[in-house]
Amino acid sequence: MDKKINVPLVFVHGYAGGFWSFFSMIHKLRKRQFISNRIVITVSHKGVFSFSKKSILKDSGIQIIFRNGKRSVEQQGTWLGEIFSKLKSEYGVEQLNVVAHSMGAVSVLYLLTNLQIKNLPKIKKMIMLGAPFADIEPGIDSAEVEHIQLSEKGVPLKQTTRYKLLKKGSKNLDNDIEVFNIIGNSDFGFSDGKVSISSAKALRYLLEDVGHYREKIVRNRKVTHRELHEDNDILKQIMEFLLN
């Protein structure tokens, strides 16, 4: 791989995730020399941050790990905002790209649409993996996948308070932000085993008036919800999206 990113890449895990959630993807990206090093930012149960290194390069991979990965979207969004602000004020990071899985993607979007946190770096590109944007509980690992009905225009027929807030706050997103929504289809057209295709596709309506939106449904019985950040074909598409 002779091309590298020139904007730090942030990794945000999903509900109950942790150190191993993006370990494989980061390892592969470093092996391909797509990112130069791995920075780990750990968030304690009380919201205290610790950084594994004191300097961040333009092609660093930044892995954010919540010690309590079961906190709410709103709490995670607040912590992410504080981390991003610190990256800019103390580390001189002016721009970021983000890869977020499942609930982590909802938390990132909540931050950018609804939290008024000053001094944030510009978010250029976001990759969302298997994200339950329209679910009542975007993190809870329930026995059944939430069935989200969409209108012909892709609008959820029943909308949660959080989803309405995401839509209302979408005006706060930069008009030139680029979003790549990767959706798993591992069980014959309904879901990736944990998140319904319709819930993930509900992002399109949220972003209809802003940014540049791209959507990809991955039809593969082996690529379940937890395999979305392990699959090599998805990794290749993410790399291409970040370089173009």
Side-chain angles (χ1 to χ4, degrees), residues 34-77:
F34 191 76
I35 59 176
S36 60
N37 63 346
R38 173 174 172 267
I39 313 294
V40 178
I41 301 175
T42 304
V43 183
S44 75
H45 289 259
K46 295 183 178 181
V48 178
F49 313 136
S50 61
F51 288 62
S52 64
K53 295 183 180 179
K54 295 183 179 181
S55 62
I56 295 175
L57 307 176
K58 65 180 182 179
D59 58 354
S60 288
I62 303 172
Q63 184 181 13
I64 297 176
I65 299 173
F66 299 109
R67 288 299 185 193
N68 183 353
K70 297 182 179 181
R71 295 298 292 272
S72 68
V73 164
E74 292 75 17
Q75 180 61 78
Q76 285 191 0

Side-chain angles (χ1 to χ4, degrees), residues 124-149:
K124 295 188 64 180
K125 296 187 177 186
M126 293 194 298
I127 298 100
M128 311 305 217
L129 298 170
F133 293 103
D135 279 20
I136 296 173
E137 295 291 345
I140 302 301
D141 192 6
S142 58
E144 295 184 2
V145 176
E146 288 190 43
H147 180 55
I148 308 298
Q149 290 185 303

Side-chain angles (χ1 to χ4, degrees), residues 159-185:
Q159 298 180 15
T160 65
T161 299
R162 181 182 294 112
Y163 188 86
K164 292 176 181 177
L165 288 173
L166 292 174
K167 179 60 178 177
K168 183 178 180 180
S170 64
K171 64 181 182 297
N172 296 319
L173 293 169
D174 291 336
N175 283 328
D176 60 348
I177 193 169
E178 297 181 53
V179 179
F180 187 14
N181 190 16
I182 299 176
I183 302 168
N185 174 8

Side-chain angles (χ1 to χ4, degrees), residues 188-202:
F188 308 103
F190 176 62
S191 76
D192 61 12
K194 293 296 181 183
V195 174
S196 69
I197 294 172
S198 56
S199 185
K201 289 184 71 172

Side-chain angles (χ1 to χ4, degrees), residues 20-31:
W20 297 106
S21 298
F22 274 106
F23 182 86
S24 176
M25 179 179 285
I26 294 172
H27 174 74
K28 292 173 184 177
L29 290 174
R30 291 190 67 184
K31 189 175 181 180

Side-chain angles (χ1 to χ4, degrees), residues 96-120:
L96 288 174
N97 292 327
V98 178
V99 181
H101 180 241
S102 196
M103 177 183 168
V106 184
S107 299
V108 172
L109 190 62
Y110 184 81
L111 158 64
L112 299 180
T113 56
N114 279 269
L115 298 181
Q116 302 298 318
I117 297 178
K118 297 181 179 179
N119 202 39
L120 291 180

Side-chain angles (χ1 to χ4, degrees), residues 1 3 5 29 34 125 127 178 180 214 233-244:
M1 184 76 192
K3 292 185 178 181
I5 54 173
L29 290 174
F34 191 76
K125 296 187 177 186
I127 298 100
E178 297 181 53
F180 187 14
R214 180 190 304 183
D233 289 337
I234 290 177
L235 178 66
K236 181 180 179 180
Q237 293 181 57
I238 288 174
M239 294 169 69
E240 291 174 349
F241 173 72
L242 291 172
L243 289 175
N244 295 328

